[in-house]
Amino acid sequence: MDLTRIDVAAPSRPYPVLLGEDLASRLKVHLDEIRFPDRRILVSSPRVWRLHGARVSSGFEALALIVVPDGERSKHLRTVSRIYDGLIAAGADRGSGVVAVGGGVVGDMAGFAAATYLRGMEVAHVPTTLLAQVDSAIGGKTGVNLREGKNLVGAFHQPSAVLMDPSFLRTLDRREFRAGLYEVLKYAIACSAPLFDRLDGDFDSIARRLAPALLPVIEECCRIKARIVTEDERDQGVRRVLNFGHTAGHAFEAVTRYRRFRHGEAVAYGMLVAAELGHRRRRFDTGARDAFARLLWRFGGLPPIRDLRTSELMEVITRDKKIVDGRLHFVLP
Ligand code: GLY
């Protein structure tokens, strides 16, 4: 089996991202290889576990399995509390390790629990959605939403490894897969013109999840993310380009109480806002803006926004984490 290894040389903890078909059934081997703690606690969601639990747990000995709901609406402190309860019941200690098997929400919550339980234990991510594979599982951002805003509570806590199996993506529903593609488009606009051309040129095959078209795209996003996190682990500089689309995007999520959008969909709207701002400031020419919007709309429809109030969106935006010294930092293309 082909295994691709991408190294993230984060100053606080260097770690590998491994990408390989059917890697899910060999987690133990890979975790043993990196000397991940033997006392392992799995954290997953009901849906992911129903679909993939048998494969993941074959030959894998875990102290416990903690199943928590996923979806943005569940990404709050009460759910993290359930993970703490499970860790206590399992007798987890600082020498134990959390293995998070799921999408971005499970990864963010399990990562946050690992960052804070007993002041920190190791975590390995096994991302099962496109969005988590190309973005959220790499880079150590963990946390939860508050009613007032997205990811307002959290910690940087780098994983010990990220283990990716693209076969997980076959069971994603179309909307979830598409939501991940918007984050891929983010990388294309913010970091890589060749990736944009590849997305545009191979669009049909990528949308059909054909491995020869999709895998290089996932790999390229992981390489970009690894490079950026290596350079700027804590969002002080270049990493902020990865917040492209997220300022307005997070506001769209918060004002709809995390019920209307998948994260990637809100980011898609956020990118359209940022593209328009960039265009008005003459930093994004008309041709580029239109090519970007054309590709974005090719992905399919987005949930409606006509009923949302600008004043409410602006109120949330002014509480954004990206405010530094009272000034909102907006990433423009
Ligand atoms: N999702 C953006 C970042 O990890 O920095």
Side-chain angles (χ1 to χ4, degrees), residues 20 111 123 245 273:
V123 63
V273 171

Side-chain angles (χ1 to χ4, degrees), residues 1-6 17-27 30 51-52 55-56 101-102 125-134 162-173 177 205-206 208-220 222:
M1 185 218 56
D2 288 342
L3 191 67
T4 301
R5 179 182 171 122
I6 298 165
V17 175
L18 301 179
L19 177 63
E21 193 74 28
D22 204 30
L23 192 145
S25 56
R26 286 188 319 281
L27 290 185
H30 295 295
L51 289 168
H52 304 291
R55 195 154 60 105
V56 167
V101 183
H125 287 298
V126 183
T128 57
T129 61
L130 179 61
L131 188 142
Q133 293 195 349
V134 297
V162 183
L163 307 170
M164 286 189 200
D165 183 339
S167 68
F168 283 128
L169 307 184
R170 292 195 198 112
T171 55
L172 291 183
D173 65 46
F177 182 72
S205 307
I206 293 169
R208 287 168 58 209
R209 309 179 204 188
L210 301 183
L214 184 58
L215 291 193
V217 165
I218 296 175
E219 195 180 319
E220 178 59 12
C222 293

Side-chain angles (χ1 to χ4, degrees), residues 17-327:
V17 175
L18 301 179
L19 177 63
E21 193 74 28
D22 204 30
L23 192 145
S25 56
R26 286 188 319 281
L27 290 185
K28 177 179 163 27
V29 176
H30 295 295
L31 289 171
D32 288 350
E33 257 168 29
I34 60 152
R35 297 176 197 278
F36 192 75
D38 288 333
R39 290 162 53 80
R40 297 167 186 167
I41 297 99
L42 287 158
V43 178
S44 192
S45 71
R47 179 179 153 79
V48 167
W49 204 251
R50 180 165 40 79
L51 289 168
H52 304 291
R55 195 154 60 105
V56 167
S57 54
S58 67
F60 189 100
E61 275 172 33
L63 283 186
L65 165 68
I66 303 172
V67 177
V68 288
D70 56 12
E72 282 299 328
R73 260 175 298 166
S74 307
K75 192 175 142 180
H76 45 58
L77 288 167
R78 287 191 306 283
T79 315
V80 174
S81 236
R82 283 174 54 181
I83 301 179
Y84 296 141
D85 292 342
L87 291 172
I88 292 169
D93 56 28
R94 278 189 179 156
S96 312
V98 168
V99 181
V101 183
V105 169
V106 165
D108 280 11
M109 291 193 297
F112 184 61
T116 49
Y117 186 70
L118 302 178
R119 297 207 176 90
M121 57 196 291
E122 287 190 49
V123 63
H125 287 298
V126 183
T128 57
T129 61
L130 179 61
L131 188 142
Q133 293 195 349
V134 297
D135 193 30
S136 65
I138 305 171
K141 282 187 181 173
T142 73
V144 292
N145 305 328
L146 298 184
R147 195 184 158 91
E148 288 74 15
K150 172 109 175 159
N151 296 337
L152 288 186
V153 173
F156 284 97
H157 186 62
Q158 299 295 340
S160 305
V162 183
L163 307 170
M164 286 189 200
D165 183 339
S167 68
F168 283 128
L169 307 184
R170 292 195 198 112
T171 55
L172 291 183
D173 65 46
R174 282 175 64 184
R175 187 175 170 197
E176 183 59 51
F177 182 72
R178 202 162 63 210
L181 283 180
Y182 293 120
E183 288 276 0
V184 175
L185 183 56
K186 173 192 83 175
Y187 284 103
I189 289 290
C191 309
S192 170
L195 181 60
F196 185 92
D197 292 339
R198 186 191 276 270
L199 262 184
D200 206 18
D202 289 351
F203 183 81
D204 292 329
S205 307
I206 293 169
R208 287 168 58 209
R209 309 179 204 188
L210 301 183
L214 184 58
L215 291 193
V217 165
I218 296 175
E219 195 180 319
E220 178 59 12
C221 293
C222 293
R223 286 192 192 284
I224 294 171
K225 182 89 187 244
R227 207 169 53 231
I228 288 180
V229 171
T230 296
E231 200 179 317
D232 172 23
E233 183 178 348
R234 295 179 71 102
D235 244 359
Q236 304 290 309
V238 67
R239 184 165 179 176
R240 292 190 294 174
V241 302
L242 298 181
N243 294 329
F244 175 55
H246 284 59
T247 307
H250 284 171
F252 280 111
E253 289 180 274
V255 300
T256 53
R257 306 267 178 268
Y258 309 103
R259 284 167 197 272
R260 187 176 305 183
F261 303 102
R262 303 282 168 100
H263 173 62
E265 294 169 339
V267 167
Y269 274 125
M271 290 193 294
L272 288 166
V273 171
E276 194 52 39
L277 278 177
H279 183 250
R280 288 186 193 188
R281 293 189 166 216
R282 299 175 195 282
R283 285 170 179 272
F284 202 39
D285 68 40
T286 310
R289 182 200 58 180
D290 293 349
F292 160 67
R294 226 179 2 257
L295 181 54
L296 187 146
W297 289 113
R298 246 178 113 186
F299 289 12
L302 288 167
I305 51 167
R306 275 181 184 281
D307 58 318
L308 303 184
R309 298 235 294 265
T310 313
S311 55
E312 251 187 287
L313 285 162
M314 289 310 291
E315 200 187 315
V316 176
I317 284 177
T318 53
R319 281 198 298 267
D320 194 273
K321 285 190 302 311
K322 292 175 280 302
I323 290 177
V324 183
D325 295 333
R327 286 176 68 114

